Amino acid sequence: MLPVDLPDTVRDALLAPLVDHHCHGVRRDDLARAQFELLISGGGSPAPPGTTHFDTPFGASLRRWCAPLLDLEPHTPPAVYLARRAELGAAEVNRRLLAGAGVVAFLVDTAPSDTASPNTAPSNNVPSNNVPSNTAPSDAADEPALLSAAEMGRHGGAAADELVRIEQIERDVAASAQLAVDYLDDLGEELTVRAARAVGLKTVMARLCGLDLEPTRPSRGSVIAAANRRLDEPGEPPTDPILLRHLLWCAIDVARERGLPLQFHSGFGGAGAGRADPAGLSELIKTLQPIGVPVILLHCYPYHRQAAHLAGLYPNVYVDVGLAVPHTAGASAVVVDELLTLAPFHKQLFSSGCQGVAEAAYLGALSYRRALGTALAARLGAGEWSATDAARVAHMIGAGNARRIYRL
Amino acid sequence: MLPVDLPDTVRDALLAPLVDHHCHGVRRDDLARAQFELLISGGGSPAPPGTTHFDTPFGASLRRWCAPLLDLEPHTPPAVYLARRAELGAAEVNRRLLAGAGVVAFLVDTAPSDTASPNTAPSNNVPSNNVPSNTAPSDAADEPALLSAAEMGRHGGAAADELVRIEQIERDVAASAQLAVDYLDDLGEELTVRAARAVGLKTVMARLCGLDLEPTRPSRGSVIAAANRRLDEPGEPPTDPILLRHLLWCAIDVARERGLPLQFHSGFGGAGAGRADPAGLSELIKTLQPIGVPVILLHCYPYHRQAAHLAGLYPNVYVDVGLAVPHTAGASAVVVDELLTLAPFHKQLFSSGCQGVAEAAYLGALSYRRALGTALAARLGAGEWSATDAARVAHMIGAGNARRIYRL
Amino acid sequence: MLPVDLPDTVRDALLAPLVDHHCHGVRRDDLARAQFELLISGGGSPAPPGTTHFDTPFGASLRRWCAPLLDLEPHTPPAVYLARRAELGAAEVNRRLLAGAGVVAFLVDTAPSDTASPNTAPSNNVPSNNVPSNTAPSDAADEPALLSAAEMGRHGGAAADELVRIEQIERDVAASAQLAVDYLDDLGEELTVRAARAVGLKTVMARLCGLDLEPTRPSRGSVIAAANRRLDEPGEPPTDPILLRHLLWCAIDVARERGLPLQFHSGFGGAGAGRADPAGLSELIKTLQPIGVPVILLHCYPYHRQAAHLAGLYPNVYVDVGLAVPHTAGASAVVVDELLTLAPFHKQLFSSGCQGVAEAAYLGALSYRRALGTALAARLGAGEWSATDAARVAHMIGAGNARRIYRL
């Protein structure tokens, strides 16, 4: 699996258990092909007629590397793979893949997946014929479609902690509050309560309004006006930039009080594309620097070089390439190398960004190990790094940095 | 020409005839060195004193790979190359290079080249001392300077179809209409007529106003006001964003009715540089998704990673690296690999983007085959893909996807 | 040091003396670890608790390649390196590293370093506990902390010339002028006087207000109003976009009169991140094209592909990857290759961008030679280029282009 010419210490460091510092729960139920295809796509829409989402780097990688864990030959056809997956059942498949990832701790964004897909974001309450219905509010479902954080840990033989998706808190509050003042009070309280049992906060603002937002706290008057508008359509994800800025600053207050990092989804999967460039966060990052809240940039591709640049410029910025690793699959070595090219080693993190299917958790960890192994082998081969440094950096990125930042 | 370690099936797939789904006609006349240099440059301006456009990746590649087709040694000096080119004559050179490309069908943007160069775009009617005068309106020239679609096909031993450049239609209409209402009527009619014999529409909005335009249909009142202003200077390319949005939506209507794809020039060669980033199209793409009009992103470099990301996110987006392939020449393997890194395989297309000189058509095809061969060899060597899949993907990108999308 | 399989002519060309067309003076005094760490960081802030700026690509490269010049083993620990550095003394270390760079001429931005760091830029007059105090106005210090241009040359066994940082001129003028009209007159005069003994002008507008500024000359009325505001806080770096545009156009006038190039810091280290993308300069570049002022884009990473694209589009644009080379260190081959992938060979330049410590000058030159060697070896190995061309291009980028543009 790893490059053959690595010293043993480096190999051991690469194979050491990882902290997956950002993932989502995977589906607990058996999936029809149409459902499975949606979950392995980047955008959450069906492939055009006559095509399949298996014809993607992720699909090819899945057939290559996950098939053997299901007792199949590498490069097995999609239909065979899915038949075997159904035969084993979702629970067994999840166990094999999550345990196979070699992860020691999962940090899990436990929001239901409805706000996760760029194509379904603005109108997630309108059921689509093609999209599997996992969009029910979490408090309404008897058995949620996704594994909880604790279940992710149990299936994967790992510890598990929670990340609070702040936009989900907002939706819960918007659904129950009657008056704008209640909404505002509840938001702060609920964030505080939820943060008390979490290791970090997370925002998907990149998808809802872009990252290039005004980096200041909005006025109370403008927030109350926005909250009144908001209470008219509480079931939708929030999209008002004023309300989102208010939410963000509430989260910053809580993060500062509790010493929690704040994760920003950026790049990959962000619907507004260009507006998901983390460079748009520069002014906010500078504002947060004296406040001491770590900003963690997730996924970042295709803006990961900008993210690596930010991580070098600002002491409070951390970075991963998350879900871009399993999605760039066999070519993720380039992506991981580009992060290692500029970002300080103490600022880089591993995550799978896994969502919906356990294949992403397994492929995230596998591709990351292969990619970092390739990048380190190149540096060792050129005489640029010592083996001691290479092993140390592998430990830092794979687990050490996450332990320090999240105080695990 | 191809990597030595490819399986025969993959090699055969790479050498199979290509569909060049976007190119321009090449010059039919013999070219002086100054003219030739302008046509092989990226920007259409002469090189600074004491320098030459042969000192570019494209120039080096041309001397390496085109020289043998003209019976010269590889790496032949520019003067020798051009002397031999003159000796053979443009017709023979065009035949050798176009036939050498191994293309089964050319889809040709038949607009005269005057709107094609970023440096000449805003004032193309003012003759420059340095720029060869191929800017005459197409209806005025007895024998157009560029080969027609049919001639491109004949010279290249291939089929040929037309792409309608919508801004050219607009110019023709602006030149003949007297009143704003006529202009609006004529625009719709002319687009419909021209689209009837075309396989796709194309816009160069990236060059004229940027791709980050408002994604909605402008009001009729604002369009009529803009049309009145427009009729005062009909010879210029259109630059008014309202008029261009109107034109775009007329084209979208026609594309939807006739089931035609809409090509967007993006990135490479776009004068407004940053504004040519296809990520700026995100909102429009989302708007067009339910309408069902395929959006095809051309060239894209240096924003091809963003383009690949869009192709993965949205079911109606397709992508190529077109003219960036011959222009990045020996290093195009990286560019092609970066597309293959994220874009679904059923969303990628081949084009040469060839313009002005047949060298670009030949080098586009040659560099593409070498680049894809290198990318596939890497995936096969790492055990990531099977040879069967590699051959299948090569067929899809080289011709199959274009046949499906353009219904060839 | 270079790839083993290079022909002798190419190897000789790579080892030939370089023109470092953009650097800063290095510190003349012995540096404590905290000071040294700040100077090798990208952003000028201390590393987070428990981490070190040695854990960066630059830090790893420094330990690998600079240690032997200080008679130490490669990969020596930071503490050992710094102890040996102190033992030898700053003067001897500067001599070894600057001479080791193999540079024939340094072009030196002689502004004091206070405006150079993104994190200290807006409030550089407020002393920080962590930042070494080299922020004294240059006219007030008995012995400036940084080597002068002449001293850089003397230590490095090279010629040396000056670059005028236009924002520094502005600060000097703002500090002495009493009235807005004096300020405006003095600005023009001082620029003219300082330009008379310089080989180029330089702006750090990317850091102060972003590169996407309005490309036109501001009205005299608006400038006078801005100047009046400015005179209230003359010690700060200028940040008013109107004033900066005025300053820029004054510089353009001087550059045109004296035939000097105008360097734009872009990308790397620019605080506003996204706003430091050189693509934002497109409109200004088009405006300057007929005026004939060469625009030189410095650093550029992570926007170097956009910069290479601009260099191909516009005859007046030149490009380097400057400080990004030592900072991407062992992986700089990719960065240099990406420039060589698209930028005309007569438009590319070498610089170290060195600032504060002589290690950057040495590593800039060393990494550049290794990187270009790797890029050329790949092209030769693939049969894309001839050895003659490779050697010629190495000479052009390493020194020839700079000699032509700066008339050295």
Side-chain angles (χ1 to χ4, degrees):
Chain A
M1 185 192 88
L2 296 175
V4 291
D5 46 355
L6 284 171
D8 282 350
T9 50
V10 179
R11 178 174 300 273
D12 291 348
L14 288 165
L15 295 177
L18 298 165
V19 173
D20 186 345
H21 85 103
H22 170 247
C23 64
H24 302 258
V26 301
R27 291 285 293 259
R28 67 170 73 254
D29 50 340
D30 292 321
L31 300 163
R33 175 154 184 168
Q35 292 175 304
F36 191 83
E37 289 228 5
L38 285 179
L39 291 169
I40 66 170
S41 83
S45 299
T51 70
T52 164
H53 285 314
F54 276 97
D55 274 338
T56 56
F58 186 83
S61 182
L62 187 157
R63 291 169 47 220
R64 165 62 185 91
W65 295 105
C66 297
L69 257 73
L70 273 52
D71 316 314
L72 300 168
E73 290 296 309
H75 313 299
T76 194
V80 175
Y81 182 87
L82 291 170
R84 174 64 180 159
R85 204 182 193 279
E87 188 179 43
L88 288 169
E92 173 65 12
V93 168
N94 288 340
R95 263 191 299 273
R96 291 189 184 191
L97 291 168
L98 292 177
V103 164
V104 68
F106 291 103
L107 309 193
V108 186
D109 171 356
T110 52
S113 63
D114 49 1
T115 55
S117 160
N119 291 337
T120 57
S123 58
N124 62 303
N125 282 339
V126 182
S128 144
N129 292 332
N130 304 100
V131 181
S133 173
N134 56 354
T135 58
S138 53
D139 55 353
D142 292 337
E143 187 193 32
L146 304 180
L147 295 190
S148 68
E151 288 170 313
M152 288 288 285
R154 209 151 51 232
H155 279 63
D161 278 295
E162 284 195 28
L163 302 165
V164 176
R165 172 102 64 94
I166 63 172
E167 288 82 4
Q168 185 57 34
I169 304 281
E170 196 278 346
R171 292 183 71 174
D172 292 346
V173 167
S176 66
Q178 304 295 323
L179 298 171
V181 287
D182 297 342
Y183 168 89
L184 296 185
D185 288 348
D186 294 355
L187 198 56
E189 277 172 36
E190 190 66 14
L191 277 170
T192 303
V193 168
R194 292 288 302 279
R197 56 174 197 259
V199 294
L201 304 176
K202 177 188 167 189
T203 172
V204 294
M205 219 143 282
R207 186 177 298 136
L208 298 171
C209 70
L211 293 176
D212 50 350
L213 75 179
E214 186 76 24
T216 53
R217 226 179 261 271
S219 72
R220 182 156 175 95
S222 68
V223 173
I224 287 181
N228 276 316
R229 291 193 298 274
R230 171 64 172 147
L231 295 180
D232 292 341
E233 40 181 34
E236 298 292 318
T239 54
D240 185 312
I242 289 173
L243 221 52
L244 285 166
R245 274 165 60 206
H246 173 71
L247 174 63
L248 184 60
W249 279 97
C250 290
I252 290 167
D253 290 338
V254 171
R256 177 173 44 181
E257 276 162 34
R258 303 199 60 89
L260 298 179
L262 178 54
Q263 298 180 340
F264 284 81
H265 173 111
S266 72
F268 200 79
R275 304 197 62 200
D277 183 344
L281 281 176
S282 300
E283 292 305 315
L284 183 68
I285 287 167
K286 281 191 271 190
T287 306
L288 294 184
Q289 193 174 330
I291 295 175
V293 172
V295 169
I296 305 192
L297 305 173
L298 304 174
H299 310 312
C300 300
Y301 194 92
Y303 305 104
H304 54 297
R305 286 172 151 185
Q306 283 92 311
H309 181 215
L310 294 172
L313 276 181
Y314 301 110
N316 55 326
V317 175
Y318 298 81
V319 63
D320 77 24
V321 277
L323 193 56
V325 171
H327 274 274
T328 58
S332 58
V334 172
V335 181
V336 167
D337 200 315
E338 287 177 334
L339 214 57
L340 204 62
T341 288
L342 190 59
F345 312 138
H346 48 85
K347 297 297 205 72
Q348 300 178 48
L349 299 164
F350 162 73
S351 81
S352 70
C354 149
Q355 188 168 322
V357 293
E359 277 83 353
Y362 178 67
L363 291 174
L366 176 105
S367 297
Y368 161 77
R369 286 186 170 105
R370 279 170 64 84
L372 187 61
T374 302
L376 294 178
R379 281 155 181 77
L380 292 168
E384 293 279 349
W385 286 20
S386 70
T388 308
D389 284 331
R392 194 169 57 88
V393 167
H395 279 300
M396 288 167 74
I397 304 180
N401 293 337
R403 289 188 192 283
R404 188 179 74 250
I405 301 161
Y406 295 97
R407 307 182 192 167
L408 302 179
Chain B
M1 188 192 88
L2 296 175
V4 291
D5 47 353
L6 285 170
D8 283 349
T9 49
V10 179
R11 178 173 300 273
D12 291 349
L14 288 165
L15 296 176
L18 298 165
V19 173
D20 186 345
H21 86 102
H22 169 248
C23 63
H24 303 259
V26 301
R27 291 283 293 260
R28 66 170 73 254
D29 49 341
D30 292 322
L31 299 163
R33 175 155 181 169
Q35 293 176 303
F36 190 83
E37 289 227 5
L38 285 179
L39 292 168
I40 66 171
S41 83
S45 299
T51 70
T52 163
H53 284 314
F54 276 96
D55 274 339
T56 56
F58 186 82
S61 182
L62 186 157
R63 291 168 48 218
R64 165 65 185 89
W65 295 105
C66 297
L69 257 73
L70 273 52
D71 316 314
L72 301 167
E73 290 295 311
H75 313 302
T76 195
V80 175
Y81 183 86
L82 291 171
R84 175 63 179 161
R85 204 182 194 279
E87 189 179 45
L88 287 170
E92 173 63 13
V93 169
N94 287 341
R95 263 190 300 273
R96 291 190 184 191
L97 291 166
L98 292 177
V103 163
V104 68
F106 291 102
L107 310 193
V108 186
D109 170 356
T110 52
S113 63
D114 50 2
T115 56
S117 162
N119 292 337
T120 57
S123 59
N124 63 303
N125 281 341
V126 182
S128 143
N129 291 333
N130 303 100
V131 181
S133 172
N134 56 355
T135 59
S138 54
D139 54 352
D142 292 336
E143 185 193 32
L146 303 181
L147 296 189
S148 68
E151 290 170 311
M152 288 287 285
R154 208 150 54 233
H155 279 65
D161 279 295
E162 283 195 30
L163 303 165
V164 176
R165 174 102 63 96
I166 64 172
E167 289 83 3
Q168 185 58 33
I169 304 281
E170 196 278 346
R171 291 183 74 175
D172 293 345
V173 167
S176 66
Q178 304 295 324
L179 298 171
V181 287
D182 297 343
Y183 167 90
L184 296 185
D185 288 348
D186 293 356
L187 199 56
E189 275 173 37
E190 190 66 14
L191 276 171
T192 303
V193 169
R194 292 287 303 278
R197 58 175 196 259
V199 293
L201 305 176
K202 177 188 167 189
T203 172
V204 294
M205 219 143 285
R207 186 177 298 138
L208 298 172
C209 69
L211 293 175
D212 50 349
L213 75 180
E214 188 75 23
T216 53
R217 227 179 259 271
S219 73
R220 183 157 174 93
S222 69
V223 174
I224 287 181
N228 275 317
R229 290 192 298 274
R230 171 65 173 146
L231 295 180
D232 292 339
E233 41 181 35
E236 300 291 319
T239 55
D240 184 313
I242 289 172
L243 220 54
L244 285 165
R245 274 165 60 206
H246 173 71
L247 174 62
L248 183 61
W249 279 97
C250 290
I252 290 166
D253 291 338
V254 171
R256 176 173 43 182
E257 276 164 32
R258 303 199 61 88
L260 298 179
L262 178 54
Q263 298 180 340
F264 284 80
H265 173 111
S266 71
F268 201 78
R275 304 196 62 200
D277 182 346
L281 281 175
S282 300
E283 293 306 314
L284 183 68
I285 287 167
K286 281 190 271 190
T287 307
L288 294 184
Q289 192 175 330
I291 296 175
V293 172
V295 168
I296 304 191
L297 305 174
L298 304 175
H299 310 312
C300 299
Y301 193 92
Y303 306 105
H304 54 296
R305 286 173 151 183
Q306 283 91 312
H309 181 215
L310 294 172
L313 277 180
Y314 301 110
N316 56 327
V317 176
Y318 298 81
V319 63
D320 77 23
V321 276
L323 193 57
V325 170
H327 273 273
T328 59
S332 59
V334 172
V335 181
V336 167
D337 200 315
E338 287 176 335
L339 215 58
L340 203 62
T341 290
L342 191 58
F345 312 138
H346 48 85
K347 297 297 204 71
Q348 300 178 49
L349 298 164
F350 163 74
S351 81
S352 72
C354 149
Q355 187 168 323
V357 293
E359 278 83 353
Y362 178 67
L363 291 174
L366 175 104
S367 296
Y368 161 77
R369 286 185 171 105
R370 281 170 63 83
L372 188 60
T374 302
L376 295 178
R379 283 156 179 77
L380 292 168
E384 293 281 347
W385 287 20
S386 71
T388 308
D389 284 331
R392 194 169 58 87
V393 167
H395 279 300
M396 288 167 75
I397 304 179
N401 293 337
R403 289 189 191 284
R404 187 179 75 248
I405 301 161
Y406 295 97
R407 305 181 193 169
L408 302 179
Chain C
M1 187 192 87
L2 297 174
V4 291
D5 46 354
L6 285 171
D8 283 349
T9 49
V10 179
R11 180 173 298 273
D12 292 348
L14 288 165
L15 296 176
L18 298 165
V19 173
D20 186 345
H21 85 103
H22 170 247
C23 64
H24 302 260
V26 301
R27 292 285 293 260
R28 67 170 72 255
D29 51 340
D30 293 321
L31 300 164
R33 175 153 183 171
Q35 293 175 304
F36 190 84
E37 289 226 5
L38 285 179
L39 291 169
I40 66 171
S41 83
S45 299
T51 70
T52 163
H53 284 314
F54 276 96
D55 274 339
T56 57
F58 186 82
S61 183
L62 186 158
R63 290 168 49 218
R64 165 64 185 88
W65 294 105
C66 296
L69 257 73
L70 273 50
D71 315 315
L72 300 168
E73 290 296 310
H75 312 303
T76 195
V80 174
Y81 182 86
L82 290 172
R84 175 63 180 160
R85 202 181 196 279
E87 188 179 43
L88 288 170
E92 173 64 12
V93 168
N94 287 341
R95 263 190 299 273
R96 291 190 185 191
L97 291 167
L98 292 177
V103 164
V104 68
F106 291 102
L107 310 193
V108 186
D109 171 355
T110 53
S113 63
D114 49 3
T115 55
S117 160
N119 291 337
T120 57
S123 58
N124 62 302
N125 282 340
V126 182
S128 145
N129 291 331
N130 303 101
V131 180
S133 171
N134 57 354
T135 58
S138 54
D139 55 350
D142 292 336
E143 187 194 32
L146 304 180
L147 296 189
S148 69
E151 289 170 311
M152 289 287 286
R154 208 150 54 231
H155 279 64
D161 279 295
E162 283 195 30
L163 303 165
V164 176
R165 175 103 63 94
I166 63 171
E167 289 82 4
Q168 185 57 33
I169 304 280
E170 196 278 344
R171 290 183 73 175
D172 293 345
V173 167
S176 64
Q178 304 295 324
L179 297 171
V181 287
D182 298 342
Y183 167 90
L184 295 185
D185 288 349
D186 294 356
L187 199 56
E189 277 173 37
E190 190 66 15
L191 277 169
T192 303
V193 168
R194 292 288 302 279
R197 55 175 198 259
V199 295
L201 304 176
K202 176 187 168 189
T203 172
V204 293
M205 218 143 285
R207 186 178 297 138
L208 298 171
C209 70
L211 294 174
D212 50 349
L213 75 181
E214 187 75 23
T216 54
R217 228 179 259 272
S219 73
R220 183 158 174 93
S222 69
V223 173
I224 287 180
N228 276 317
R229 290 192 299 273
R230 172 62 171 148
L231 294 181
D232 292 340
E233 40 180 36
E236 299 292 318
T239 54
D240 185 311
I242 289 172
L243 220 53
L244 286 166
R245 274 166 60 208
H246 172 71
L247 175 62
L248 183 61
W249 279 96
C250 290
I252 290 166
D253 290 339
V254 171
R256 176 174 44 182
E257 276 163 31
R258 303 199 60 90
L260 299 179
L262 179 55
Q263 299 181 340
F264 283 81
H265 174 111
S266 72
F268 200 79
R275 305 197 60 201
D277 183 345
L281 282 175
S282 300
E283 292 306 315
L284 183 68
I285 288 167
K286 281 191 271 190
T287 307
L288 294 184
Q289 192 174 329
I291 295 176
V293 172
V295 168
I296 305 192
L297 305 173
L298 304 174
H299 311 311
C300 300
Y301 194 92
Y303 305 105
H304 55 296
R305 286 173 151 184
Q306 284 90 312
H309 181 215
L310 294 172
L313 277 181
Y314 301 110
N316 55 328
V317 175
Y318 298 81
V319 63
D320 77 24
V321 276
L323 192 57
V325 171
H327 274 273
T328 58
S332 58
V334 172
V335 182
V336 167
D337 200 315
E338 287 176 335
L339 214 58
L340 203 63
T341 289
L342 190 58
F345 313 139
H346 48 84
K347 298 297 205 72
Q348 300 178 48
L349 298 164
F350 162 74
S351 81
S352 70
C354 150
Q355 188 169 322
V357 293
E359 277 83 352
Y362 178 67
L363 291 175
L366 176 104
S367 296
Y368 162 77
R369 286 185 170 106
R370 280 170 64 84
L372 187 60
T374 303
L376 295 178
R379 282 156 180 77
L380 292 168
E384 293 281 348
W385 286 20
S386 70
T388 308
D389 284 332
R392 194 169 58 86
V393 167
H395 280 299
M396 289 168 73
I397 303 180
N401 293 337
R403 288 187 192 285
R404 187 179 75 249
I405 300 161
Y406 294 97
R407 306 181 194 169
L408 301 180

